[in-house]
């Protein structure tokens, strides 16, 4: 059976842009094309895509995935053992990571020393105290909470306006890259993912790649996080999630 690129994207839960990128780099090229040049995938292509997505989910770079799938001498078991070791180490830090990750979007709403007028100017109709009690109860004992609270307690109106401007400028550039059709693991997208990490570190707490990838997972797991980025641009939450993971892998 032959499948269009749109059908494959829907079946696999990936974007058409991602499939085009996989074709361009030779990771997953369709077995056929129509007379008009449109891609057509068969069952063997879908099986290969399953392998690609399986290794991708484990955090393998695209180049390494290609080597595992195409090289008869490659040892997939060795790659999996290595990844298992990395994940085991990561799990030991999971509770602290999740605490810091979930707190990230609430951190800027803690201990904000502004007048009501200044709060409105900075945050608009968003109440910066709305989730404070929840955040303190859930994350009050974490290093990230304490560090972020310590920093933001010193911020005044000009600091928050500068933070807002920096985030809005970053958001405009990320949306432009998304709209350009560049894949999430393109240099442009990954550079902005790196800038996202640096913004968190500069304003709130030191954000490692490990913490940032966990934060990216929260963008899809928590509807409040998803809604924040989807309100900026449809598809941005998933795109940023992929870009953050790709950037962390490329810099590992």
């Amino acid at each position: 059976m032959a499948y269009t690129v749109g059908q494959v994207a829907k079946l696999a839960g990936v974007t058409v842009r991602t499939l085009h990128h996989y074709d361009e780099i030779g990771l997953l090229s369709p077995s056929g094309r129509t007379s008009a040049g449109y891609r057509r995938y068969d069952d063997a292509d879908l099986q290969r895509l399953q392998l690609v997505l399986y290794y991708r989910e484990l955090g393998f770079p695209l180049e390494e995935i290609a080597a595992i799938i195409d090289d008869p001498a490659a040892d997939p078991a060795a790659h999996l053992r290595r990844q298992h070791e990395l994940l085991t180490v990561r799990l030991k830090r999971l509770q602290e990571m999740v605490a810091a990750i979930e707190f990230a979007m609430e951190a800027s709403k803690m201990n904000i020393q502004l007048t009501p007028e200044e709060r409105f100017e900075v945050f608009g109709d968003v109440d910066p105290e709305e989730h404070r009690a929840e955040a303190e109860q859930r994350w009050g004992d974490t290093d990230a909470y304490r560090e972020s609270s310590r920093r933001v307690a010193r911020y005044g109106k000009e600091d928050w306006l500068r933070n807002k401007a920096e985030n809005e400028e970053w958001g405009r550039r990320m949306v432009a890259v998304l709209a350009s059709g560049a894949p999430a693991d393109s240099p442009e997208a990954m550079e902005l993912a790196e800038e996202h990490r640096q913004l968190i570190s500069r304003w709130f707490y030191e954000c490692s790649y490990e913490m940032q990838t966990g934060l990216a997972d929260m963008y899809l797991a928590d509807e409040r996080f998803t809604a924040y980025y989807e309100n900026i641009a449809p598809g941005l939450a998933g795109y940023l999630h992929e870009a953050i993971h790709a950037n962390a892998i490329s810099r590992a």
Side-chain angles (χ1 to χ4, degrees), residues 11 15 23 31-32 63 71 87 168 171 174 180 182 233-234 242 246:
L11 285 170
T15 65
D23 184 11
S31 297
E63 297 82 0
D71 185 358
L87 290 172
E168 289 177 347
M174 178 58 89
S180 74
E242 292 184 32

Side-chain angles (χ1 to χ4, degrees), residues 42-57:
D42 61 18
D43 291 338
D45 296 328
L46 294 186
Q47 291 176 359
R48 182 179 176 90
L49 178 58
Q50 278 188 317
L51 287 175
V52 170
L53 297 179
Y54 173 66
Y55 285 114
R56 190 71 170 132
E57 183 67 24

Side-chain angles (χ1 to χ4, degrees), residues 54-68:
Y54 173 66
Y55 285 114
R56 190 71 170 132
E57 183 67 24
L58 287 173
F60 286 82
L62 296 181
E63 297 82 0
E64 197 166 340
I65 293 173
I68 293 171

Side-chain angles (χ1 to χ4, degrees), residues 10-208:
K10 185 175 181 180
L11 285 170
V14 299
T15 65
V16 169
R17 181 170 51 247
T18 295
L19 293 175
H20 286 176
H21 180 57
Y22 288 171
D23 184 11
E24 290 167 1
I25 65 176
L27 182 59
L28 177 69
S29 297
S31 297
R33 288 182 180 267
T34 67
S35 58
Y38 295 110
R39 296 171 174 83
R40 286 293 183 268
Y41 297 83
D42 61 18
D43 291 338
D45 296 328
L46 294 186
Q47 291 176 359
R48 182 179 176 90
L49 178 58
Q50 278 188 317
L51 287 175
V52 170
L53 297 179
Y54 173 66
Y55 285 114
R56 190 71 170 132
E57 183 67 24
L58 287 173
F60 286 82
L62 296 181
E63 297 82 0
E64 197 166 340
I65 293 173
I68 293 171
I69 296 176
D70 295 330
D71 185 358
D75 181 9
H79 288 287
L80 292 173
R81 283 194 297 271
R82 185 187 69 183
Q83 192 67 9
H84 180 269
E85 292 172 359
L86 294 173
L87 290 172
T88 299
V89 172
R90 188 175 178 183
L91 282 172
K92 293 179 181 178
R93 299 177 56 194
L94 184 60
Q95 186 171 4
E96 182 72 16
M97 271 181 55
V98 170
I101 289 161
E102 291 180 341
F103 176 68
M105 287 186 67
E106 308 300 337
S108 63
K109 302 172 185 177
M110 300 296 185
N111 298 326
I112 301 171
Q113 304 302 317
L114 300 176
T115 67
E117 293 79 8
E118 290 172 335
R119 286 171 183 255
F120 185 80
E121 182 178 349
V122 173
F123 298 106
D125 59 0
V126 176
D127 180 6
E129 298 290 338
E130 181 180 359
H131 302 294
R132 179 174 179 176
E134 175 191 354
E136 186 170 1
Q137 181 179 11
R138 297 175 67 181
W139 311 306
D141 292 332
T142 66
D143 290 339
Y145 181 98
R146 287 189 289 270
E147 173 65 13
S148 187
S149 293
R150 182 185 65 79
R151 293 194 196 181
V152 302
R154 301 196 308 265
Y155 294 164
K157 172 186 171 182
E158 294 306 318
D159 298 304
W160 288 112
L161 287 175
R162 190 166 64 255
N163 170 265
K164 181 181 180 182
E166 287 184 13
N167 278 282
E168 289 177 347
E169 172 60 20
W170 171 86
R172 283 192 291 270
R173 287 184 285 121
M174 178 58 89
V175 170
V177 173
L178 169 65
S180 74
D185 56 359
S186 67
E188 297 84 358
M190 290 194 295
E191 184 61 32
L192 285 168
E194 175 64 17
E195 190 173 323
H196 169 274
R197 186 185 70 84
Q198 293 174 2
L199 279 170
I200 295 173
S201 295
R202 183 161 66 251
W203 284 97
F204 302 114
Y205 60 86
E206 190 61 35
C207 183
S208 67

